[in-house]
Amino acid sequence: MIVGRHIIAELYGVKEELIAKEEVVRSIVEEVVDKAELTKVGSVYKQFNPHGVTGIVLIAESHVSIHTWPEYGLVNLDIFTCGDTSKVEKAFKLFLEKFKPESYRHYVLDRG
Amino acid sequence: MIVGRHIIAELYGVKEELIAKEEVVRSIVEEVVDKAELTKVGSVYKQFNPHGVTGIVLIAESHVSIHTWPEYGLVNLDIFTCGDTSKVEKAFKLFLEKFKPESYRHYVLDRG
């Protein structure tokens, strides 16, 4: 029984100003969740000192999580949605447009 | 640059009374996070109607997420920790002890 699709991605070469501060990361994540028509239930973010952010958004369709490493230009991104699998692809595309990584790798996992 | 370890698991044949209600799932998740010595920052849970729960815990070391499907006896579990990789293994072992699945599959992914 496949219940959803999970994209697990590492983004490389992301500019520090996009991923160092919580307010910037939060703004990007919430915009993507909204544009991908995911249903936000709640979210939690944490700013690391001196920089780096971790954040999770519980969506009715599952979750989005992000962990940023400005010192490496790295983002660990997870997008897991149940139901309409086109939403996970749409959200991933939007994240790539926002973070503009020099390169990335991603795994697509059917969950269940 | 490997920054952490992520266990992605599907648990099968889990008893409905363990995964149908938010208070039971929340209690198990929070106990495991505590026993595995993970540092909880915040959490969000949602009860689905008539049953099923989705929850996510932001930990300083990354995150734990869970989505339950009582109608299938299924749990989608993710545990992602940075730093000490023994904690992710410990947390997974504790979840298996709590949910007692008839079987499971899991993937271990080095993130970064």
Side-chain angles (χ1 to χ4, degrees):
Chain A
M1 170 60 62
I2 303 299
V3 296
R5 181 163 291 173
H6 187 168
I7 288 184
I8 299 159
E10 319 289 11
L11 313 185
Y12 305 111
V14 180
K15 284 194 178 143
E16 184 176 343
E17 64 259 33
L18 291 174
I19 56 175
K21 294 297 175 194
E22 179 185 331
E23 62 267 27
V24 181
V25 172
R26 178 194 289 265
S27 161
I28 290 174
V29 171
E30 308 272 323
E31 186 182 335
V32 168
V33 165
D34 185 55
K35 282 195 174 169
E37 297 173 74
L38 299 170
T39 313
K40 181 180 156 185
V41 174
S43 60
V44 189
Y45 294 85
K46 180 176 168 63
Q47 171 75 57
F48 287 93
N49 196 354
H51 55 203
V53 181
T54 188
I56 53 178
V57 184
L58 187 69
I59 53 177
E61 298 85 357
S62 288
H63 73 267
V64 173
S65 74
I66 187 165
H67 306 291
T68 75
W69 305 84
E71 62 273 48
Y72 309 128
L74 172 68
V75 173
N76 309 130
L77 178 67
D78 284 69
I79 314 166
F80 178 9
T81 72
C82 298
D84 182 356
T85 55
S86 71
K87 287 187 179 177
V88 71
E89 311 284 352
K90 185 173 179 183
F92 184 52
K93 188 164 169 281
L94 289 165
F95 274 119
L96 292 178
E97 287 171 13
K98 287 288 176 187
F99 286 122
K100 297 180 175 58
E102 288 172 7
S103 65
Y104 64 90
R105 81 173 82 190
H106 74 303
Y107 311 88
V108 180
L109 199 59
D110 284 327
R111 298 296 301 261
Chain B
M1 169 60 63
I2 303 298
V3 296
R5 181 163 291 174
H6 187 168
I7 289 184
I8 300 158
E10 318 290 10
L11 313 186
Y12 305 111
V14 180
K15 284 194 178 144
E16 184 176 343
E17 64 259 33
L18 292 173
I19 56 175
K21 295 296 175 195
E22 179 185 331
E23 61 267 28
V24 181
V25 172
R26 179 194 289 264
S27 161
I28 290 174
V29 171
E30 308 272 323
E31 186 183 336
V32 168
V33 165
D34 185 54
K35 282 195 174 169
E37 298 173 74
L38 299 170
T39 313
K40 181 180 156 185
V41 174
S43 59
V44 190
Y45 294 85
K46 180 177 168 63
Q47 171 75 56
F48 287 93
N49 196 353
H51 55 203
V53 180
T54 188
I56 190 156
V57 184
L58 186 69
I59 53 177
E61 298 85 357
S62 288
H63 73 268
V64 173
S65 74
I66 188 165
H67 306 291
T68 75
W69 304 84
E71 62 273 47
Y72 309 128
L74 172 68
V75 173
N76 309 130
L77 179 67
D78 284 69
I79 314 166
F80 178 9
T81 72
C82 299
D84 182 356
T85 55
S86 71
K87 287 187 180 178
V88 71
E89 311 284 353
K90 185 173 179 183
F92 185 51
K93 189 164 169 282
L94 289 164
F95 274 119
L96 292 178
E97 287 171 13
K98 287 287 177 188
F99 286 123
K100 298 180 175 56
E102 288 172 8
S103 65
Y104 64 90
R105 81 173 81 190
H106 74 302
Y107 311 89
V108 180
L109 198 59
D110 283 327
R111 298 295 302 261

mmCIF file of all heavy atoms in Angstrom, chain B residues 58-85:
data_model
loop_
_atom_site.group_PDB
_atom_site.id
_atom_site.type_symbol
_atom_site.label_atom_id
_atom_site.label_comp_id
_atom_site.label_asym_id
_atom_site.label_seq_id
_atom_site.Cartn_x
_atom_site.Cartn_y
_atom_site.Cartn_z
ATOM 1 N N LEU B 58 10.571 18.809 16.254
ATOM 2 C CA LEU B 58 11.833 19.461 15.915
ATOM 3 C C LEU B 58 12.772 19.222 17.084
ATOM 4 O O LEU B 58 12.437 19.521 18.233
ATOM 5 C CB LEU B 58 11.617 20.962 15.707
ATOM 6 C CG LEU B 58 12.853 21.726 15.214
ATOM 7 C CD1 LEU B 58 13.186 21.330 13.787
ATOM 8 C CD2 LEU B 58 12.619 23.230 15.271
ATOM 9 N N ILE B 59 13.909 18.618 16.788
ATOM 10 C CA ILE B 59 14.924 18.420 17.823
ATOM 11 C C ILE B 59 16.142 19.244 17.417
ATOM 12 O O ILE B 59 16.317 19.552 16.232
ATOM 13 C CB ILE B 59 15.284 16.918 17.977
ATOM 14 C CG1 ILE B 59 15.672 16.292 16.631
ATOM 15 C CG2 ILE B 59 14.130 16.146 18.599
ATOM 16 C CD1 ILE B 59 16.112 14.836 16.709
ATOM 17 N N ALA B 60 16.952 19.618 18.390
ATOM 18 C CA ALA B 60 18.130 20.437 18.063
ATOM 19 C C ALA B 60 19.013 19.678 17.077
ATOM 20 O O ALA B 60 19.709 20.283 16.263
ATOM 21 C CB ALA B 60 18.903 20.783 19.328
ATOM 22 N N GLU B 61 18.951 18.332 17.133
ATOM 23 C CA GLU B 61 19.775 17.500 16.245
ATOM 24 C C GLU B 61 19.127 17.276 14.877
ATOM 25 O O GLU B 61 19.741 16.647 14.017
ATOM 26 C CB GLU B 61 20.032 16.132 16.893
ATOM 27 C CG GLU B 61 20.801 16.179 18.202
ATOM 28 C CD GLU B 61 19.908 16.417 19.430
ATOM 29 O OE1 GLU B 61 18.689 16.596 19.256
ATOM 30 O OE2 GLU B 61 20.448 16.442 20.545
ATOM 31 N N SER B 62 17.914 17.681 14.645
ATOM 32 C CA SER B 62 17.197 17.647 13.360
ATOM 33 C C SER B 62 15.701 17.393 13.568
ATOM 34 O O SER B 62 15.024 18.250 14.063
ATOM 35 C CB SER B 62 17.802 16.694 12.340
ATOM 36 O OG SER B 62 19.025 17.235 11.864
ATOM 37 N N HIS B 63 15.175 16.195 13.218
ATOM 38 C CA HIS B 63 13.741 16.007 13.433
ATOM 39 C C HIS B 63 13.329 14.537 13.495
ATOM 40 O O HIS B 63 14.059 13.652 13.048
ATOM 41 C CB HIS B 63 12.915 16.721 12.352
ATOM 42 C CG HIS B 63 12.947 16.064 10.999
ATOM 43 N ND1 HIS B 63 13.859 16.389 10.026
ATOM 44 C CD2 HIS B 63 12.179 15.096 10.457
ATOM 45 C CE1 HIS B 63 13.645 15.654 8.951
ATOM 46 N NE2 HIS B 63 12.636 14.853 9.177
ATOM 47 N N VAL B 64 12.151 14.343 14.060
ATOM 48 C CA VAL B 64 11.481 13.039 14.052
ATOM 49 C C VAL B 64 10.085 13.295 13.492
ATOM 50 O O VAL B 64 9.428 14.255 13.895
ATOM 51 C CB VAL B 64 11.349 12.470 15.487
ATOM 52 C CG1 VAL B 64 10.510 11.201 15.494
ATOM 53 C CG2 VAL B 64 12.725 12.217 16.096
ATOM 54 N N SER B 65 9.645 12.463 12.543
ATOM 55 C CA SER B 65 8.273 12.621 12.070
ATOM 56 C C SER B 65 7.585 11.270 12.023
ATOM 57 O O SER B 65 8.229 10.234 11.851
ATOM 58 C CB SER B 65 8.229 13.287 10.694
ATOM 59 O OG SER B 65 8.638 12.375 9.710
ATOM 60 N N ILE B 66 6.270 11.313 12.198
ATOM 61 C CA ILE B 66 5.493 10.078 12.199
ATOM 62 C C ILE B 66 4.140 10.328 11.548
ATOM 63 O O ILE B 66 3.538 11.390 11.733
ATOM 64 C CB ILE B 66 5.331 9.553 13.646
ATOM 65 C CG1 ILE B 66 4.686 8.176 13.651
ATOM 66 C CG2 ILE B 66 4.540 10.529 14.511
ATOM 67 C CD1 ILE B 66 4.834 7.464 14.981
ATOM 68 N N HIS B 67 3.718 9.366 10.727
ATOM 69 C CA HIS B 67 2.387 9.410 10.131
ATOM 70 C C HIS B 67 1.813 8.012 10.300
ATOM 71 O O HIS B 67 2.473 7.038 9.943
ATOM 72 C CB HIS B 67 2.471 9.797 8.652
ATOM 73 C CG HIS B 67 3.235 11.073 8.426
ATOM 74 N ND1 HIS B 67 2.746 12.300 8.817
ATOM 75 C CD2 HIS B 67 4.458 11.307 7.907
ATOM 76 C CE1 HIS B 67 3.644 13.233 8.525
ATOM 77 N NE2 HIS B 67 4.697 12.659 7.973
ATOM 78 N N THR B 68 0.624 7.922 10.871
ATOM 79 C CA THR B 68 0.059 6.593 11.145
ATOM 80 C C THR B 68 -1.202 6.345 10.320
ATOM 81 O O THR B 68 -1.970 7.269 10.041
ATOM 82 C CB THR B 68 -0.285 6.403 12.639
ATOM 83 O OG1 THR B 68 -1.480 7.130 12.955
ATOM 84 C CG2 THR B 68 0.852 6.847 13.537
ATOM 85 N N TRP B 69 -1.381 5.095 9.954
ATOM 86 C CA TRP B 69 -2.512 4.650 9.134
ATOM 87 C C TRP B 69 -3.109 3.422 9.814
ATOM 88 O O TRP B 69 -2.814 2.279 9.409
ATOM 89 C CB TRP B 69 -2.014 4.278 7.730
ATOM 90 C CG TRP B 69 -1.272 5.384 7.042
ATOM 91 C CD1 TRP B 69 0.052 5.701 7.190
ATOM 92 C CD2 TRP B 69 -1.808 6.329 6.111
ATOM 93 N NE1 TRP B 69 0.367 6.789 6.404
ATOM 94 C CE2 TRP B 69 -0.751 7.189 5.724
ATOM 95 C CE3 TRP B 69 -3.081 6.525 5.561
ATOM 96 C CZ2 TRP B 69 -0.930 8.237 4.820
ATOM 97 C CZ3 TRP B 69 -3.251 7.564 4.651
ATOM 98 C CH2 TRP B 69 -2.186 8.406 4.296
ATOM 99 N N PRO B 70 -3.949 3.639 10.841
ATOM 100 C CA PRO B 70 -4.496 2.500 11.586
ATOM 101 C C PRO B 70 -5.238 1.508 10.690
ATOM 102 O O PRO B 70 -5.221 0.305 10.952
ATOM 103 C CB PRO B 70 -5.454 3.160 12.580
ATOM 104 C CG PRO B 70 -4.975 4.561 12.704
ATOM 105 C CD PRO B 70 -4.408 4.924 11.375
ATOM 106 N N GLU B 71 -5.870 2.008 9.622
ATOM 107 C CA GLU B 71 -6.623 1.114 8.734
ATOM 108 C C GLU B 71 -5.721 0.109 8.026
ATOM 109 O O GLU B 71 -6.185 -0.932 7.563
ATOM 110 C CB GLU B 71 -7.470 1.904 7.732
ATOM 111 C CG GLU B 71 -6.711 2.795 6.758
ATOM 112 C CD GLU B 71 -6.410 4.206 7.273
ATOM 113 O OE1 GLU B 71 -5.934 4.334 8.423
ATOM 114 O OE2 GLU B 71 -6.623 5.163 6.500
ATOM 115 N N TYR B 72 -4.424 0.420 7.938
ATOM 116 C CA TYR B 72 -3.467 -0.507 7.313
ATOM 117 C C TYR B 72 -2.463 -1.072 8.325
ATOM 118 O O TYR B 72 -1.555 -1.822 7.930
ATOM 119 C CB TYR B 72 -2.670 0.195 6.205
ATOM 120 C CG TYR B 72 -3.515 0.929 5.186
ATOM 121 C CD1 TYR B 72 -3.254 2.261 4.876
ATOM 122 C CD2 TYR B 72 -4.566 0.294 4.530
ATOM 123 C CE1 TYR B 72 -4.024 2.948 3.946
ATOM 124 C CE2 TYR B 72 -5.343 0.977 3.605
ATOM 125 C CZ TYR B 72 -5.065 2.300 3.318
ATOM 126 O OH TYR B 72 -5.822 2.986 2.400
ATOM 127 N N GLY B 73 -2.556 -0.675 9.579
ATOM 128 C CA GLY B 73 -1.557 -1.090 10.578
ATOM 129 C C GLY B 73 -0.180 -0.522 10.273
ATOM 130 O O GLY B 73 0.850 -1.067 10.663
ATOM 131 N N LEU B 74 -0.169 0.613 9.560
ATOM 132 C CA LEU B 74 1.067 1.169 8.995
ATOM 133 C C LEU B 74 1.539 2.426 9.727
ATOM 134 O O LEU B 74 0.735 3.273 10.097
ATOM 135 C CB LEU B 74 0.798 1.521 7.521
ATOM 136 C CG LEU B 74 1.865 2.296 6.748
ATOM 137 C CD1 LEU B 74 3.120 1.447 6.529
ATOM 138 C CD2 LEU B 74 1.309 2.760 5.394
ATOM 139 N N VAL B 75 2.853 2.508 9.902
ATOM 140 C CA VAL B 75 3.483 3.732 10.417
ATOM 141 C C VAL B 75 4.602 4.142 9.469
ATOM 142 O O VAL B 75 5.466 3.331 9.139
ATOM 143 C CB VAL B 75 4.095 3.503 11.822
ATOM 144 C CG1 VAL B 75 4.894 4.728 12.278
ATOM 145 C CG2 VAL B 75 3.014 3.175 12.841
ATOM 146 N N ASN B 76 4.582 5.402 9.015
ATOM 147 C CA ASN B 76 5.725 5.993 8.290
ATOM 148 C C ASN B 76 6.533 6.765 9.318
ATOM 149 O O ASN B 76 6.025 7.720 9.906
ATOM 150 C CB ASN B 76 5.289 7.002 7.224
ATOM 151 C CG ASN B 76 4.230 6.518 6.266
ATOM 152 O OD1 ASN B 76 3.237 7.202 6.050
ATOM 153 N ND2 ASN B 76 4.412 5.361 5.679
ATOM 154 N N LEU B 77 7.778 6.369 9.504
ATOM 155 C CA LEU B 77 8.606 6.970 10.553
ATOM 156 C C LEU B 77 9.899 7.523 9.955
ATOM 157 O O LEU B 77 10.547 6.844 9.143
ATOM 158 C CB LEU B 77 8.936 5.878 11.580
ATOM 159 C CG LEU B 77 9.820 6.247 12.762
ATOM 160 C CD1 LEU B 77 9.112 7.234 13.690
ATOM 161 C CD2 LEU B 77 10.191 4.977 13.539
ATOM 162 N N ASP B 78 10.260 8.731 10.344
ATOM 163 C CA ASP B 78 11.547 9.320 9.945
ATOM 164 C C ASP B 78 12.272 9.814 11.186
ATOM 165 O O ASP B 78 11.669 10.500 12.014
ATOM 166 C CB ASP B 78 11.338 10.521 9.010
ATOM 167 C CG ASP B 78 10.972 10.102 7.600
ATOM 168 O OD1 ASP B 78 9.858 9.592 7.418
ATOM 169 O OD2 ASP B 78 11.807 10.273 6.696
ATOM 170 N N ILE B 79 13.535 9.469 11.276
ATOM 171 C CA ILE B 79 14.370 9.961 12.380
ATOM 172 C C ILE B 79 15.655 10.474 11.746
ATOM 173 O O ILE B 79 16.367 9.719 11.081
ATOM 174 C CB ILE B 79 14.737 8.843 13.380
ATOM 175 C CG1 ILE B 79 13.520 8.006 13.751
ATOM 176 C CG2 ILE B 79 15.395 9.433 14.623
ATOM 177 C CD1 ILE B 79 13.886 6.700 14.470
ATOM 178 N N PHE B 80 15.919 11.748 11.928
ATOM 179 C CA PHE B 80 17.087 12.372 11.298
ATOM 180 C C PHE B 80 17.852 13.090 12.399
ATOM 181 O O PHE B 80 17.313 13.976 13.046
ATOM 182 C CB PHE B 80 16.593 13.346 10.229
ATOM 183 C CG PHE B 80 17.655 14.126 9.494
ATOM 184 C CD1 PHE B 80 19.009 13.859 9.632
ATOM 185 C CD2 PHE B 80 17.284 15.145 8.629
ATOM 186 C CE1 PHE B 80 19.964 14.591 8.939
ATOM 187 C CE2 PHE B 80 18.231 15.882 7.929
ATOM 188 C CZ PHE B 80 19.573 15.609 8.092
ATOM 189 N N THR B 81 19.081 12.661 12.641
ATOM 190 C CA THR B 81 19.882 13.351 13.655
ATOM 191 C C THR B 81 21.249 13.720 13.103
ATOM 192 O O THR B 81 21.856 12.972 12.342
ATOM 193 C CB THR B 81 20.100 12.510 14.938
ATOM 194 O OG1 THR B 81 21.017 11.456 14.665
ATOM 195 C CG2 THR B 81 18.806 11.954 15.475
ATOM 196 N N CYS B 82 21.709 14.877 13.512
ATOM 197 C CA CYS B 82 23.065 15.312 13.195
ATOM 198 C C CYS B 82 23.940 14.987 14.396
ATOM 199 O O CYS B 82 23.445 14.765 15.493
ATOM 200 C CB CYS B 82 23.082 16.808 12.932
ATOM 201 S SG CYS B 82 22.038 17.192 11.529
ATOM 202 N N GLY B 83 25.225 14.993 14.159
ATOM 203 C CA GLY B 83 26.144 14.720 15.267
ATOM 204 C C GLY B 83 26.196 13.230 15.541
ATOM 205 O O GLY B 83 26.320 12.424 14.620
ATOM 206 N N ASP B 84 26.063 12.866 16.795
ATOM 207 C CA ASP B 84 26.202 11.487 17.269
ATOM 208 C C ASP B 84 25.209 10.542 16.568
ATOM 209 O O ASP B 84 24.020 10.553 16.856
ATOM 210 C CB ASP B 84 25.959 11.491 18.783
ATOM 211 C CG ASP B 84 26.113 10.110 19.396
ATOM 212 O OD1 ASP B 84 26.330 9.134 18.655
ATOM 213 O OD2 ASP B 84 26.005 10.018 20.630
ATOM 214 N N THR B 85 25.711 9.720 15.643
ATOM 215 C CA THR B 85 24.813 8.862 14.862
ATOM 216 C C THR B 85 24.253 7.699 15.678
ATOM 217 O O THR B 85 23.299 7.058 15.255
ATOM 218 C CB THR B 85 25.522 8.294 13.615
ATOM 219 O OG1 THR B 85 26.707 7.617 14.041
ATOM 220 C CG2 THR B 85 25.879 9.391 12.640
#
